[in-house]
Amino acid sequence: MSYVSPEMRAKFDEITGRYPRRQAAVIPLLHLVQEAHGSLPAEAQREVAEYLGIPAVKVQEVVSFYSMFTEKPRGRHHLMVCRTLSCALGGCQEVSATVERVLGIRHGQVTADGMFSVEEVECLAACDMGPVMQVGDTLHGHLDAGKTEALIEELKKR
Amino acid sequence: METPRYLTRNFGNPGALAHEGYVKSGGYQALKKALGMKPADIIEEVKKGNLRGRGGAGFAAGVKWGFLPKDDGGPRYLAVNADEGEPGTFKDRALLEQDPHQLIEGIAITCFANGVHAAYVYVRGEFHKGRRTLEEALRQAYQAGVLGKKVMGSDFSLDVHLHPGAGAYICGEETALLESLEGKKGFPRLKPPFPAVKGLFGRPTIINNVETLSCVPHLISMGAEAWAALGCEKNGGTKLYCLSGQVRKPGLYELPHSTTLRQLVFEHGGGPRPGRSIKAVIPGGSSSPVLTEKEMDVRMDFDSLGKAGSMLGSAATMAIDDSTSMVRLLQNVSRFYAHESCGQCTPCREGTHWMHKIIDRIAEGRGQADDLDRLLDICDNMAGKTICVLADAAVFPVQSFLRKFRAEFEEYIRKGRKMSLVGWTEEMPEAPTAAGIH
Ligand SMILES: Cc1cc2nc3c(=O)[nH]c(=O)nc-3n(C[C@H](O)[C@H](O)[C@H](O)COP(=O)(O)O)c2cc1C
Ligand code: FES
């Protein structure tokens, strides 16, 4: 299977053109591939390396260093629960515990039906609305156990 | 008295997200003015306006720009730090999402002043909305001739590119950010050479924070004197303060640089929640040394907080009330640094983990009598011994918590398990924020 379609290749060309060195484009390109395929298996990484003309190990290093990249698929809804200082001062452990209880999975896992995954993350720069959780592109603030449960129910319907 | 708003003047006015709306609100006038000035005069103006870097270190922006070597005809770059990740900080995300053209205008003036023709905005990977908003604003800026070949009809050309991060706190450190921009893992670089001399792609590079650059149009349009007068000695302008934690009205406050910590927390933030009292404040991000309630009459500028033994840092002010255990709090902070150490330098990689392990066991009621001394020993073996200052950032909270709240730690160690299981909850049964910290 090819991870890089001709349309994606055109985007690759445009992005790579912004930098004097091709390798600089590796993070934006990996984002594109992961958005399209949900994860970055070894073969996808190899294709990006080949496109950029750099050793595959350089791409592997980047994938393993940055927390947003994943080699294994996440759930359709990936719940990122903030666990850092301000959110902790507001009671974020209650949010984490509720997510784990309602979904029956732990931080770092995916539900059996592939619908949900959970990850505890560091400060999401929304500390005035803590405790917060980011799902996809959207931030949800001022959470407690009840609101967390309601949010998950709402997501189940999507 | 209501403070006049500059950086946040367009917040809540979605019209200003579009180029046209931004222009209507007076936008891009400062750039026009700057394009008619001599580049060296702009730098001089920024120096006189006492604009201090708002990413954390408070370094004078104009002075930093002055470090760029003479133009040798080759490329030089501006890297914009939009990687905002310091715990408690939420100003740059707001600036990106609510007034992207203000940032673009600041970038354009800064590039013109420094003979830079290419800027990269490194936007934190998780900031999807900020990225989309800035992307659209950049598109419109190109279309309107604010960016590209002839900036606002002048001979100056400028390209601004957006570059996403992918989740790594360390990439907010300026040299790690450069590595990341070059497509590598974010390992900070040894200095010297400094980025001004050898930075992005081996070329002279300026790195500035989003808020710093967003101040530039206002400084240029009102003039250095007026901008300096908005703040206090050596700290010009208004400042964005990120107030969070256990206060009634957490939020983003644009206030004069001369505001005191007490004013921020009690007047603007409304003070503690009902039935509580403020016990401590972390004034400038989780690495800034903690201050007690008695120490709150300090001005929130870079120098005054420095003299008070803390830092303004990223102006992320976190209020802590009497329901919170300082031991549990430090457990959370030390976990953060252990998790975010990039692992390049041994003292930091090992030290942050050891510290976290020890604080963890104290918090869980398994502390040993000499653990506090052991912690301070580890601190001594980390601070100043690594390539970047993440190690120092991890050490400051440990040292300051132990200095100012040592009794709480000793009590945990003395009472052991009993303490951590029933101690605090027994004394303060209805602590509303029990989870996590208690
Ligand atoms: C561990 C670490 C993390 C940092 N994170 C950020 C950050 O998220 N955003 C930022 O602007 N500066 C951050 N900084 C500060 C930058 O290294 C740099 O000083 C700043 O971007 C310079 O811009 P300024 O002079 O406009 O403040 C960090 C520094 C360290 C040591
Ligand atoms: S601490 Fe949770 S968003 Fe900042």
Side-chain angles (χ1 to χ4, degrees):
Chain A
M1 152 173 191
S2 172
Y3 286 88
V4 184
S5 63
E7 302 85 70
M8 198 185 280
R9 219 186 150 82
K11 271 196 205 156
F12 275 23
D13 292 344
E14 191 235 312
I15 291 172
T16 313
R18 299 173 191 164
Y19 306 94
R21 292 185 196 157
R22 292 176 68 80
Q23 184 176 349
V26 66
I27 291 179
L29 301 198
L30 288 172
H31 274 304
L32 281 182
V33 178
Q34 183 165 307
E35 269 159 37
H37 298 280
S39 63
L40 294 167
E43 178 55 21
Q45 298 179 33
R46 207 191 48 75
E47 283 182 35
V48 170
E50 200 173 69
Y51 171 84
L52 290 174
I54 59 176
V57 61
K58 297 274 175 210
V59 176
Q60 264 166 32
E61 264 178 23
V62 167
V63 170
S64 64
F65 186 83
Y66 295 93
S67 65
M68 288 178 74
F69 293 138
T70 178
E71 297 195 283
K72 294 201 197 86
R74 291 178 172 142
R76 197 148 78 81
H77 302 293
H78 184 57
L79 313 187
M80 296 159 71
V81 183
C82 177
R83 64 176 178 190
T84 314
L85 201 59
S86 307
C87 286
L89 284 166
C92 67
Q93 290 217 337
E94 187 183 325
V95 176
S96 259
T98 305
V99 170
E100 297 189 341
R101 177 176 55 77
V102 173
L103 295 177
I105 52 170
R106 297 190 62 84
H107 146 74
Q109 298 177 333
V110 189
T111 52
D113 60 2
M115 275 289 278
F116 289 94
S117 51
V118 194
E119 188 187 358
E120 283 185 357
V121 298
E122 305 298 352
C123 180
L124 288 165
C127 327
D128 54 339
M129 351 189 272
V132 304
M133 175 193 319
Q134 184 167 327
V135 186
D137 294 9
T138 313
L139 275 166
H140 303 269
H142 307 293
L143 294 173
D144 55 21
K147 285 188 199 159
T148 303
E149 201 161 344
L151 175 62
I152 293 173
E153 288 310 317
E154 164 66 31
L155 288 169
K156 275 184 185 163
K157 292 185 209 137
R158 283 191 221 160
Chain B
M1 192 190 77
E2 184 88 352
T3 325
R5 285 160 55 189
Y6 300 95
L7 291 159
T8 57
R9 88 199 142 105
N10 285 327
F11 282 28
N13 164 22
L17 294 175
H19 171 264
E20 204 187 86
Y22 182 70
V23 169
K24 253 194 216 136
S25 78
Y28 290 121
Q29 287 305 310
L31 174 57
K32 202 166 166 196
K33 179 175 174 185
L35 290 167
M37 292 169 71
K38 281 212 216 74
D41 291 345
I42 300 175
I43 299 180
E44 203 43 48
E45 195 75 356
V46 171
K47 278 187 195 164
K48 272 197 285 187
N50 293 328
L51 173 58
R52 303 279 288 267
R54 276 129 164 81
F59 198 85
V63 175
K64 184 189 279 189
W65 301 354
F67 291 154
L68 277 187
K70 272 218 164 58
D71 199 347
D72 64 358
R76 37 171 70 197
Y77 300 106
L78 170 69
V80 181
N81 196 337
D83 195 43
E84 187 168 66
E86 178 68 19
T89 318
F90 49 91
K91 61 195 179 61
D92 299 337
R93 187 173 61 77
L95 288 167
L96 284 175
E97 289 179 2
Q98 306 229 33
D99 204 353
H101 284 286
Q102 173 175 255
L103 174 62
I104 296 172
E105 186 170 11
I107 291 172
I109 297 171
T110 302
C111 289
F112 176 70
N114 291 288
V116 170
H117 299 283
Y120 294 92
V121 188
Y122 188 99
V123 182
R124 186 171 165 186
E126 290 89 344
F127 289 179
H128 297 282
K129 186 174 174 201
R131 221 156 89 195
R132 274 199 312 271
T133 311
L134 181 62
E135 221 154 39
E136 175 57 21
L138 285 171
R139 198 186 63 73
Q140 294 188 12
Y142 271 101
Q143 211 169 32
V146 170
L147 296 175
K149 286 264 176 301
K150 287 185 175 299
V151 169
M152 294 186 88
S154 70
D155 289 338
F156 176 61
S157 73
L158 174 63
D159 281 312
V160 179
H161 305 292
L162 192 156
H163 184 101
Y169 166 72
I170 192 61
C171 290
E173 195 279 336
E174 56 184 21
T175 60
L177 183 145
L178 297 180
E179 287 287 297
S180 186
L181 259 171
E182 292 184 2
K184 303 171 200 160
K185 54 187 182 196
F187 275 4
R189 296 176 182 172
L190 263 175
K191 292 186 262 193
F194 289 94
V197 178
K198 194 165 182 281
L200 187 59
F201 307 120
R203 297 293 306 170
T205 302
I206 297 171
I207 299 141
N208 273 129
N209 167 263
V210 166
E211 186 190 346
T212 312
L213 293 166
S214 297
C215 290
V216 172
H218 303 290
L219 190 161
I220 292 301
S221 84
M222 72 176 75
E225 264 174 45
W227 176 261
L230 286 174
C232 53
E233 202 190 335
K234 295 213 177 86
N235 291 263
T238 55
K239 178 79 190 81
L240 296 187
Y241 296 103
C242 316
L243 181 61
S244 69
Q246 293 160 331
V247 282
R248 282 178 205 241
K249 293 188 289 175
L252 188 63
Y253 294 93
E254 177 173 6
L255 298 168
H257 230 322
S258 52
T259 309
T260 69
L261 183 51
R262 191 175 299 282
Q263 285 170 327
L264 176 64
V265 173
F266 283 88
E267 285 171 32
H268 303 282
R273 300 166 306 173
R276 294 284 160 206
S277 59
I278 298 292
K279 158 174 164 181
V281 186
I282 298 175
S286 71
S287 59
S288 63
V290 66
L291 297 173
T292 62
E293 194 275 334
K294 288 192 180 60
E295 297 172 297
M296 287 177 69
D297 294 300
V298 57
R299 243 171 30 191
M300 299 281 285
D301 66 72
F302 288 100
D303 306 310
S304 303
L305 269 167
K307 268 185 224 131
S310 189
M311 319 187 296
L312 179 57
S314 57
T317 304
M318 289 164 279
I320 300 154
D321 73 23
D322 60 346
S323 71
T324 292
S325 149
M326 298 308 276
V327 179
R328 290 294 189 182
L329 201 59
L330 191 62
Q331 183 187 21
N332 184 289
V333 174
S334 68
R335 185 202 32 72
F336 174 82
Y337 290 105
H339 185 253
E340 295 299 335
S341 169
C342 79
Q344 184 177 202
C345 309
T346 311
C348 178
R349 184 184 60 238
E350 306 269 314
T352 51
H353 278 276
W354 276 111
M355 286 199 308
H356 178 51
K357 250 181 134 151
I358 295 171
I359 297 164
D360 226 22
R361 81 173 171 229
I362 296 173
E364 301 308 327
R366 289 177 285 108
Q368 298 165 13
D370 53 356
D371 269 352
L372 300 185
D373 292 334
R374 198 171 286 130
L375 275 175
L376 294 174
D377 233 32
I378 297 174
C379 289
D380 288 343
N381 285 309
M382 289 171 65
K385 294 193 166 63
T386 50
I387 290 176
C388 88
V389 296
L390 187 140
D392 303 67
V395 159
F396 292 145
V398 176
Q399 289 174 332
S400 63
F401 272 57
L402 289 188
R403 193 165 51 242
K404 293 183 180 164
F405 297 95
R406 192 174 176 108
E408 279 191 38
F409 287 82
E410 288 172 345
E411 201 176 356
Y412 260 76
I413 292 174
R414 209 174 45 245
K415 294 192 179 166
R417 247 184 203 298
K418 194 164 145 264
M419 179 72 194
S420 80
L421 289 178
V422 295
W424 290 95
T425 29
E426 211 168 61
E427 282 167 34
M428 289 155 198
E430 13 92 84
T433 64
I437 301 301
H438 237 278

